[in-house]
Amino acid sequence: MTQLHQLRIYEIFEHNKQAFHDRFRDHAMRIMRSHGFEFVMLWETGTDERLEFAYLLAWPDREVMKTAWDAFMEDQEWNDIKHVTGAEHGTMVGEIWERVLTATDYSPNPRWDQQ
């Protein structure tokens, strides 16, 4: 049973938006999954001031989440891909916002806890 969710929001840029999406879809998600990441949903969003990419992850607990993130950030393949795509397309991610979400006992979406 899922105990918590993690919301990640990345500032992305219009000039290399497609390259960002290609990298995330074709590489980041595959590598993240190999480290135990469970994707719930992904969105493109934003404000008048910035373009954003948001995604929701499901985790059984904070320890598993931390271990998976540490492994992903140290993954050599991922670091190589970031280096190559950054050299080709420039900076692809600006600010990053993160929230760990724990459902209340009166949450209207209990189906998420059954994933």
Side-chain angles (χ1 to χ4, degrees):
M1 182 196 302
T2 299
Q3 298 294 315
L4 56 94
H5 289 87
Q6 182 182 31
L7 175 65
R8 305 266 302 177
I9 302 171
Y10 296 172
E11 176 185 24
I12 60 175
F13 308 105
E14 191 63 48
H15 72 276
N16 60 9
K17 174 177 80 167
Q18 190 58 52
F20 168 84
H21 284 295
D22 292 346
R23 181 176 79 176
F24 199 90
R25 180 193 61 240
D26 298 340
H27 302 291
M29 287 181 73
R30 172 182 52 80
I31 296 167
M32 292 165 108
R33 284 185 177 120
S34 78
H35 292 293
F37 286 63
E38 181 183 338
F39 290 87
V40 176
M41 187 66 94
L42 301 94
W43 302 270
E44 189 173 292
T45 183
T47 66
D48 290 339
E49 293 81 35
R50 85 179 130 259
L51 180 62
E52 298 171 342
F53 171 74
Y55 61 104
L56 188 66
L57 300 166
W59 299 104
D61 59 51
R62 287 179 185 265
E63 184 176 329
V64 169
M65 180 180 72
K66 181 185 179 332
T67 300
W69 272 107
D70 289 347
F72 174 66
M73 296 309 289
E74 294 174 8
D75 188 285
Q76 189 60 53
E77 180 185 9
W78 175 238
N79 286 307
D80 291 346
I81 289 167
K82 283 194 313 185
H83 177 75
V84 168
T85 57
E88 183 177 349
H89 301 286
T91 301
M92 297 174 79
V93 176
E95 291 187 65
I96 299 173
W97 297 270
E98 172 190 51
R99 298 292 182 272
V100 176
L101 311 169
T102 304
T104 61
D105 61 357
Y106 54 89
S107 175
N109 286 314
R111 65 184 169 81
W112 283 6
D113 291 331
Q114 297 171 13
Q115 291 186 10

